Amino acid sequence: MLTVAVLISGTGSNLRALLDAAAEPEFPARVVVVGADREAEGFAHAEEYGIPTFMVPFAQFASREEWGAELGAQLDVWRPDLVVLSGLMRLLPADLVDAWSPRIINTHPAYLPEFPGAHGVRDALAADVAQTGASVIIVDNGVDSGPILAQERVPVLPGDDEHALHERIKPVERRLLIDVVRRVATGDLDLAAVSASAQL
Ligand code: GRF
């Protein structure tokens, strides 16, 4: 049974989808802890499932590195097989990424390498493209630049604002994320092999 830690900052709708999937008896992974860099709304989903949570408030640390060190210490308590960033709106310091990659993945609401960064949905709208997408990647030390594990196109429709487009993207993100976690858990997806081949 693959153990998963999920890190969030916001509403945690992608977290909720993973929790719902993991509640199915045949799903080969379970979420053991949910962490956040702030008092995230998404904690409510973890509490509903009786899953422990931790908070490492970014604002209480003098540097990203010190924040990352505490975040890493929390993760070390739980020793998950996989860390999932799902709406964590912070870049992780290199020490933390190096300690966990490739067993750390991220969901992003764009068709990477298009529109990386914190405003992928807004940037796609501003670019007036006909389609954007959703991606699941291995976290590396760049900004949404790690090896792509899964991605799918999502149309941009006339009249879309950022919220409407993001809400169309999120269900795709959730489906891709659940499928990636399932494939990692069953061994169908070898993160170390993907990461190594990306470095060739
Ligand atoms: C998701 O689209 C995620 O990819 C992005 O922020 C959104 C988080 O949504 N980083 P939620 O908190 O899971 O609802």
Side-chain angles (χ1 to χ4, degrees), residues 6 24 64 86 89 91 98-99 134 137 143 147 161 175 183:
V6 184
E24 296 301 319
R64 183 182 304 277
S86 189
M89 300 308 281
L91 281 180
D98 293 345
I137 61 172
V143 178
D161 61 9
R175 179 164 42 77
R183 285 162 55 211

Side-chain angles (χ1 to χ4, degrees), residues 124-146:
L125 278 176
D128 199 21
V129 292
Q131 57 179 6
T132 181
S135 305
V136 181
I137 61 172
I138 294 174
V139 175
D140 68 2
N141 278 312
V143 178
D144 298 320
S145 55

Side-chain angles (χ1 to χ4, degrees), residues 14 106-115 120-121 124 131-137 148-155 165-177 180:
N14 288 349
N106 184 25
T107 62
H108 184 71
Y111 200 83
L112 293 170
E114 300 167 1
F115 311 120
V121 179
Q131 57 179 6
T132 181
S135 305
V136 181
I137 61 172
I148 294 170
L149 298 171
Q151 60 182 171
E152 186 173 310
R153 283 291 185 186
V154 175
L165 179 53
H166 206 166
E167 288 307 302
R168 186 176 312 117
I169 292 169
K170 281 185 181 180
V172 176
E173 267 187 279
R174 294 167 198 155
R175 179 164 42 77
L176 294 178
L177 174 62
V180 164

